[in-house]
Amino acid sequence: MFASVANMKNLFFENPDDANIKEIGEIFYLRDAIIPIDASDIKEMLEGADNAIVLHGKATGHNRCADAIEDAVLHTCAVAKDHDLFSASNVVIYISSPKQEPMLMSENEAINTFVEMFSSETQWRWGLEECNGTAEMRVTIIASNLKKKMK
């Protein structure tokens, strides 16, 4: 298994090549997912992209899904401050919840709110897993073809 989200890096690539796509795809290698994301999904979303960003967030508590998404999105400023995440043409969102506290249907509202912030043309993939040994909800967001912010 891979390191915890706390040890995973938020990344930004210009013109991601096969090595970058492989590196990003490895985030999902050996996951026991309910709704899996695999290397072919990542390749499809990133092949030929102008750029790509990988963001990780985590949270606990009542609003853990929304807070984990927000935590991930806030990393955009650190790794791609001149780019607008919400202009991405392709987005993967992967949610990992504790097995003892699985994701609830009511938490889908946070995902819906996040999706609505993007263009209706944005292509989406999403995955879900339940993990032992964690008390937090974790979110990984991968997006490609972000446009530069207007100055």
Side-chain angles (χ1 to χ4, degrees):
M1 279 301 208
F2 278 83
S4 71
V5 154
N7 297 328
M8 298 182 88
K9 294 181 181 173
N10 296 297
L11 305 168
F12 183 76
F13 301 98
E14 294 282 350
N15 303 308
D17 58 20
D18 287 342
N20 301 135
I21 292 170
K22 182 180 180 209
E23 179 181 352
I24 295 168
E26 287 177 352
I27 292 170
F28 305 102
Y29 183 67
L30 293 179
R31 298 288 186 134
D32 189 20
I34 296 166
I35 302 171
I37 294 288
D38 63 22
S40 65
D41 292 316
I42 301 303
K43 185 172 183 171
E44 182 180 329
M45 299 297 273
L46 299 183
E47 200 165 52
D50 295 331
N51 57 52
I53 192 169
V54 180
L55 305 166
H56 303 283
K58 61 184 180 176
T60 59
H62 180 68
N63 292 319
R64 64 187 181 157
C65 189
D67 291 345
I69 292 170
E70 182 178 359
D71 183 40
V73 169
L74 289 174
H75 294 293
T76 305
C77 296
V79 295
K81 66 180 179 180
D82 295 334
H83 289 80
D84 177 9
L85 174 65
F86 300 105
S87 67
S89 64
N90 300 299
V91 179
V92 173
I93 184 167
Y94 191 81
I95 299 165
S96 179
S97 66
K99 194 167 218 120
Q100 66 277 17
E101 295 179 51
M103 185 171 171
L104 303 172
M105 289 298 292
S106 60
E107 292 175 304
N108 279 329
E109 185 60 35
I111 298 167
N112 293 338
T113 299
F114 179 64
V115 167
E116 289 171 0
M117 298 174 85
F118 290 81
S119 163
S120 61
E121 303 297 313
T122 302
Q123 299 294 311
W124 287 89
R125 298 278 188 286
W126 77 287
L128 176 65
E129 76 174 340
E130 293 177 353
C131 291
N132 287 317
T134 183
E136 61 209 10
M137 180 169 280
R138 302 173 186 172
V139 172
T140 299
I141 298 168
I142 302 168
S144 65
N145 294 318
L146 285 70
K147 293 181 176 41
K148 288 206 172 208
K149 292 179 182 176
M150 298 288 218
K151 292 186 179 187

